[in-house]
Amino acid sequence: YPNVITSEGFERILSAGGPYYGHVMRPLDREEPKSIAWLQCIGSRDTNRCGNGYCSTVCCMYAVKEAMIAKEHIHGDLDCAIFNMDMRTVGKDYEKYFLRARDNQGVRFVKARAHTITEIPETGDLILKYADETGETKEEIFSMVVLSVGLEIPSSSVELAQRMGIE
């Protein structure tokens, strides 16, 4: 769906040199979103679906940063929700940044496993279905969804490490 983008695409939207000159807009209709969901661990921490059982260690923090910047760019009431298994805030003062987003800036952190996104054709809004911590299935509607994609080591780096005897 046009209003589902990757974290890299959202970084371009936030950029002054990006497609909307730093103004946060939905790709489908160039409207300012009223709500944005970030889905964590896309392409990582899942050996069944993607084969990457590791955490990339950067996705949680760039999602928090993107949500806070989006709230700054949109003057008004923007609902920002980060759907996660757990937040990994590794680094100096990263936990403080996360707490500031949650406690002072109104970014919602939802412990959940998202499983389905469908588009409402008339509006371009997105229905996100997920299972919360208790296993209960819920759904919410968002203007945009950002996929926080994990990092993957290039196969050439893996081959080089193997040639050098490095695990």
Side-chain angles (χ1 to χ4, degrees), residues 12-158:
R12 291 289 305 135
I13 287 173
L14 291 176
S15 172
Y20 316 127
Y21 307 102
H23 188 72
V24 180
M25 296 178 165
R26 297 176 355 146
L28 177 67
D29 52 15
R30 309 298 191 266
E31 293 289 325
E32 197 172 78
K34 292 178 178 29
S35 58
I36 305 173
W38 279 261
L39 305 184
Q40 298 307 104
C41 302
I42 306 299
S44 62
R45 297 181 70 192
D46 185 353
T47 54
N48 294 324
R49 295 291 222 175
C50 66
N52 295 334
Y54 55 83
C55 171
S56 294
T57 71
V58 297
C59 313
C60 287
M61 290 312 301
Y62 74 60
V64 173
K65 179 198 76 159
E66 287 177 351
M68 290 192 38
I69 292 173
K71 284 179 121 359
E72 288 174 7
H73 283 223
I74 295 179
H75 305 292
D77 193 25
L78 176 65
D79 176 27
C80 291
I82 299 177
F83 290 80
N84 63 87
M85 291 185 273
D86 56 22
M87 290 301 292
R88 297 197 170 177
T89 54
V90 292
K92 185 175 181 166
D93 289 334
Y94 286 4
E95 184 73 8
K96 287 180 185 175
Y97 192 74
F98 157 70
L99 294 172
R100 189 172 86 204
R102 186 189 70 190
D103 299 337
N104 300 337
Q105 301 299 316
V107 176
R108 290 191 298 130
F109 292 87
V110 182
K111 284 196 177 289
R113 299 283 271 172
H115 63 79
T116 307
I117 301 172
T118 53
E119 183 182 60
I120 302 170
E122 299 79 28
T123 63
D125 288 339
L126 302 154
I127 301 169
L128 174 65
K129 293 183 181 178
Y130 62 93
D132 70 8
E133 285 183 287
T134 67
E136 183 181 345
T137 301
K138 296 185 176 184
E139 66 179 49
E140 290 188 50
I141 297 175
F142 291 93
S143 302
M144 291 176 69
V145 172
V146 180
L147 306 176
S148 294
V149 294
L151 305 178
E152 190 171 16
I153 299 168
S155 57
S156 59
S157 295
V158 174

